[in-house]
């Protein structure tokens, strides 16, 4: 086990939780799972996490003044700039440490949380800049595939046919037609970066990647598929069940790009058709009734199959070829 | 011993930054601010300072990174101009609301469109309500001095408000003049160390920075910002006096030039004041009692000082290097408002000049004085100097 489970269990027992109960996220929301697992992994590894959050569900629901659910240092600045903000804090850490002005000698690790709106769309430049500059931080994207905090508007991460208020399914349209932006490839294409996908269905895979990301000297990025039960129109208990299906249908393959080297971290023995995943989520219901959506599903199936084949080839081709 | 150097305004500001030696500088280049960043980057590259420089990919990220850095507890600076300031606009407000004493030289440049890289004050005016202290400089020496003064002022516990130091694009930033640079140690002692009470990096006492304020607290926090600016107003004379002790140069809310017995007064900001002073001298030679007021402090606006300086004068002409479309020009409107309580209200007139860096000549600046002396001022008419109509 890469993460020391004993330490994790002790932390839970001691209630020394970096991210506590009492926040106002919806029952069944997958975002707090991501936040809790990531910060507890950092603690278990002996790091002091300093957290940044982009404007979004996780931010508005955990820090309503004068309350906070964070027992570790936390900063929120705006929607599109958590990466730039945390890069400034990380620069301050280096400077103050170098100048002997830090009050603590505990090892600090910077973790930024952003939703898909703040990452794929409006915050992409800020994130790319911070990664390019090589700041030592871990960026965790909790991907719920839309602007869920403000009521389900379309993002660059929304899949085809997922009903969104700014690109709804209608009489003549099947909703959004574009596939999700491949955010991990985008970030993985930067230099000296560790980039990975993860899923709320597989906390151990996620925590192992958090550990890798934290230990990597430089920028790290993990995209976690984390459903919004409210706007995905799924039962509160079903988030991880759905993301498990996402992995099994190749919709959301679990892999990493470590300084250019591809590795698929979970290879399901048997794959299920993408349609099974789509049919399990309520937000596709309208599109599924649309006569033209059948073709979109076929295209999606082809897309995920081809992407998987490419991934296998990339894994083979990049073996041991660390760019740095 | 202070050193006299023949340098540009940009270099003067970079030297002030070198001596302040901030923990972090995050900046993005934009004409005409670029040489400040270049000079400072060279200081870092040569090991003259051990500041951590963050060469961000945009001004939005520059302001975002300095917010992160200052919240972390580091003395932090950036610099920008016009469109860069406009791009960081959202975070300029947030920096002030988070009460982070960031110091930012603004090399004043016209805000597009059409795109124009030359000096005017549309950028400074655009952020006048953002909650920052705004200091104004006539020349390189003042830009240098006010950058040091701003650092000391912004970090005061009762102030904790970010500060901008404005200098005119090209005219000041790229013009070479004699600048007296204080000894490094003198500046270091003057600015001292910033000891933030609640730094983000104090992991033993975790603090949540930038929480969500709903209708139950937002108003109160804005009220506190107003208090910060009021405290800046109170602290300014003290900081100016302390600076005079180390430099011999006297600053105040207003630079009063030949104002003792002045009947006709021109109010103008930044570099055009040098030309205006020359015009005042010419008028004085002719026996005309002309005077000039140049604010060193724009925010907090020295309303009381303007009232005291202008009450009872014959006429006041206010010059603005920017327009406020559909409204009175900003400085004019503020000066006019300050005169509401005057016992003997002077005649007043509004003149817009030098937009997009248009040259300001002595002949141009004679016009408002002449119109004032002829009794031709109209408080409701905006007039334009040097405009082709």
């Amino acid at each position: 086990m890469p993460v020391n489970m004993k330490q994790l269990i002790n932390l839970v027992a001691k209630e020394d939780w970096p991210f506590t109960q009492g926040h106002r996220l919806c029952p069944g929301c997958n975002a707090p799972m991501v936040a809790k697992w990531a910060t507890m992994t950092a603690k278990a590894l002996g790091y002091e996490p300093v957290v940044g959050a982009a404007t979004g569900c996780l931010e508005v629901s955990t820090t309503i003044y004068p309350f906070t659910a964070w027992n570790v240092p936390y900063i929120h600045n705006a929607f599109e700039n958590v990466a730039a903000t945390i890069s400034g804090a990380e620069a301050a850490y280096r400077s103050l440490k170098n100048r002997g002005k830090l009050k603590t000698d505990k090892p600090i690790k910077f973790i930024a949380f952003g939703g898909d709106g703040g990452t794929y769309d409006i915050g992409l430049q800020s994130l790319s800049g911070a990664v390019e500059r090589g700041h030592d931080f871990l960026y965790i994207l909790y991907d719920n595939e839309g602007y869920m905090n403000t009521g389900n508007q379309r993002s660059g991460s929304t899949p085809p046919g997922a009903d969104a208020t700014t690109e709804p399914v209608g009489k003549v349209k099947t909703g959004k037609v574009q596939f999700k932006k491949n955010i991990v490839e985008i970030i993985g294409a930067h230099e000296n970066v560790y980039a990975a996908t993860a899923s709320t269905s597989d906390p151990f895979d996620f925590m192992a990647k958090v550990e890798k990301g934290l230990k990597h000297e430089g920028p790290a990025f993990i995209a976690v598929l984390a459903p919004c039960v409210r706007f995905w129109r799924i039962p509160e208990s079903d988030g991880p069940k759905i993301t498990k299906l996402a992995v099994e249908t190749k919709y959301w393959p679990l892999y990493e790009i470590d300084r250019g080297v591809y590795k698929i971290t979970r290879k399901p023995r048997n794959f299920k058709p993408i349609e099974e995943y789509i049919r399990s989520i309520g937000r596709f219901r309208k599109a599924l009734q649309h006569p033209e959506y059948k073709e979109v599903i076929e295209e999606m199936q082809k897309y995920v199959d081809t992407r998987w084949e490419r991934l296998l080839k990339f894994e083979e081709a990049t073996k041991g070829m660390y760019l740095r | 011993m202070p050193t006299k150097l023949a340098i540009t305004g940009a270099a003067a500001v970079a030297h002030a930054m070198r001596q302040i030696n901030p923990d972090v500088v995050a900046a993005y280049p934009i004409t005409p601010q670029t040489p400040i960043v270049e000079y400072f980057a060279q200081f870092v590259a040569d090991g003259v300072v051990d500041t951590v420089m963050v060469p961000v990919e945009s001004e939005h990220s520059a302001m975002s990174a300095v917010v992160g850095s200052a919240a972390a507890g580091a003395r932090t600076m950036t610099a920008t101009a016009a469109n860069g300031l406009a791009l960081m606009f959202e975070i300029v407000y947030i920096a002030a609301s988070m009460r982070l004493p960031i110091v930012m030289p603004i090399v004043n440049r016209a805000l597009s469109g059409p795109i124009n890289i030359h000096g005017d004050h549309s950028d400074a005016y655009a952020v006048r309500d953002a909650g920052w202290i705004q200091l104004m400089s006539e020349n390189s020496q003042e830009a240098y001095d006010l950058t040091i003064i701003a650092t000391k002022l912004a970090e005061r516990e009762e102030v904790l408000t970010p500060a901008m130091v404005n200098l005119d694009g090209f005219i000041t930033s790229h013009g070479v003049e004699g600048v007296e640079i204080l000894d490094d140690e003198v500046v270091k002692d003057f600015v001292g160390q910033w000891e933030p009470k609640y730094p983000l990096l104090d992991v033993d006492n975790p603090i949540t920075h930038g929480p969500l304020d709903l209708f139950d607290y937002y108003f109160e926090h804005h009220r506190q910002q107003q208090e910060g600016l009021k405290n800046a107003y109170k602290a300014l004379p003290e900081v100016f006096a302390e600076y005079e002790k180390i430099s011999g140069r006297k600053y105040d809310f207003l630079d009063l030039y030949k104002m003792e017995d002045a009947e006709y007064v021109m109010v103008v900001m930044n570099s055009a004041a040098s030309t205006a002073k020359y015009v005042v001298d010419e008028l004085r030679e002719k026996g005309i009692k002309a005077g000039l007021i140049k604010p060193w402090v724009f925010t907090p606006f020295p309303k009381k000082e303007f009232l005291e300086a202008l009450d009872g004068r014959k006429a006041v002409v206010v010059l603005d290097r920017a327009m406020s479309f559909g409204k009175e020009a900003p400085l004019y409107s503020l000066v006019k408002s300050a005169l509401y309580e005057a016992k003997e209200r002077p005649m007043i007139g509004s003149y817009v000049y030098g937009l997009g860096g248009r040259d300001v000549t002595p002949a141009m600046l004679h016009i408002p004085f002449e119109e004032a002396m002829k009794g031709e001022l109209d408080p409701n008419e905006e007039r334009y100097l040097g405009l082709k109509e």
Side-chain angles (χ1 to χ4, degrees), chain A residues 162-185:
Chain A
D163 202 29
T165 57
T166 49
E167 198 158 1
V169 179
K171 282 177 190 146
V172 297
K173 288 184 101 179
T174 58
K176 191 188 170 201
V177 292
Q178 298 84 359
F179 291 174
K180 276 166 82 81
K181 226 186 239 186
N182 199 331
I183 193 75
V184 172
E185 299 284 337

Side-chain angles (χ1 to χ4, degrees), chain A:
Chain A
M1 198 70 64
V3 180
N4 188 332
M5 279 309 288
K6 229 173 148 184
Q7 275 177 306
L8 268 180
I9 291 160
N10 284 341
L11 279 170
V12 174
K14 267 202 320 186
E15 294 198 359
D16 185 11
W17 301 357
F19 179 73
T20 70
Q21 67 274 56
H23 58 73
R24 303 185 197 184
L25 286 152
C26 302
C29 175
N30 279 205
M33 294 154 60
V34 173
K36 204 171 286 179
W37 294 339
T39 50
M40 285 187 103
T41 302
K43 275 265 186 187
L45 292 166
Y47 298 124
E48 290 296 329
V50 169
V51 169
T55 307
C57 284
L58 184 67
E59 173 265 328
V60 298
S61 306
T62 63
T63 61
I64 304 178
Y65 188 87
F67 304 106
T68 181
W70 297 91
N71 269 335
V72 290
Y74 166 99
I75 185 167
H76 159 255
N77 186 345
F79 187 15
E80 68 285 53
N81 65 353
V82 64
T85 306
I86 215 74
S87 83
E90 188 266 353
Y93 175 59
R94 271 186 282 138
S95 184
L96 296 175
K97 201 171 161 188
N98 181 41
R99 289 177 169 190
K101 292 206 266 185
L102 262 193
K103 283 183 184 159
T104 182
D105 50 12
K106 294 176 186 164
I108 290 176
K109 285 289 177 183
F110 294 88
I111 305 177
F113 291 101
D116 49 290
T119 308
Y120 284 81
D121 293 350
I122 200 167
L124 186 59
Q125 174 183 322
S126 166
L127 173 59
S128 173
V131 172
E132 183 273 332
R133 293 191 298 275
H135 294 277
D136 191 8
F137 74 116
L138 169 61
Y139 190 106
I140 296 177
L141 152 69
Y142 65 99
D143 189 350
N144 55 29
E145 306 191 321
Y147 297 101
M148 299 320 193
N149 183 42
T150 48
N152 190 23
Q153 291 82 28
R154 165 212 207 272
S155 84
S157 165
T158 306
D163 202 29
T165 57
T166 49
E167 198 158 1
V169 179
K171 282 177 190 146
V172 297
K173 288 184 101 179
T174 58
K176 191 188 170 201
V177 292
Q178 298 84 359
F179 291 174
K180 276 166 82 81
K181 226 186 239 186
N182 199 331
I183 193 75
V184 172
E185 299 284 337
I186 293 169
I187 303 306
H190 292 68
E191 194 213 10
N192 190 34
V193 64
Y194 173 81
T197 59
S199 158
T200 55
S201 61
D202 199 337
F204 291 113
D205 178 68
F206 173 56
M207 288 190 285
K209 285 167 177 170
V210 169
E211 178 172 1
K212 247 186 159 171
L214 289 172
K215 287 183 175 169
H216 172 67
E217 281 178 28
F221 174 84
I222 304 173
V224 193
L225 190 66
C228 163
V229 293
R230 170 84 177 80
F231 289 112
W232 283 30
R233 315 280 179 209
I234 56 171
E236 283 167 11
S237 56
D238 280 9
K241 203 169 120 188
I242 299 283
T243 52
K244 185 166 181 275
L245 204 48
V247 176
E248 289 168 347
T249 56
K250 303 179 208 163
Y251 176 77
W252 190 253
L254 297 179
Y255 70 107
E256 62 183 25
I257 311 168
D258 184 4
R259 291 159 292 158
V261 176
Y262 282 70
K263 187 169 178 255
I264 302 170
T265 57
R266 291 284 188 269
K267 288 180 183 165
R269 280 204 195 113
N270 300 300
F271 291 112
K272 293 173 177 169
I274 190 95
E275 191 166 345
E276 197 175 323
Y277 173 71
I278 288 168
R279 290 202 175 273
S280 70
I281 299 168
R283 74 190 299 218
F284 292 105
R285 199 167 299 140
K286 265 204 230 163
L288 281 164
Q289 288 160 4
H290 202 286
E292 283 162 32
Y293 193 57
K294 206 174 153 32
E295 267 174 54
V296 181
I297 295 175
E298 280 166 20
E299 269 179 56
M300 279 172 85
Q301 186 64 58
K302 206 178 136 210
Y303 177 81
V304 299
D305 287 344
T306 313
R307 188 178 58 186
W308 181 259
E309 292 307 315
R310 273 166 52 99
L311 269 179
L312 289 169
K313 285 188 176 157
F314 280 145
E315 187 180 46
E316 187 57 34
T318 60
K319 208 170 264 175
M321 293 176 72
Y322 292 99
L323 287 167
R324 196 164 154 142

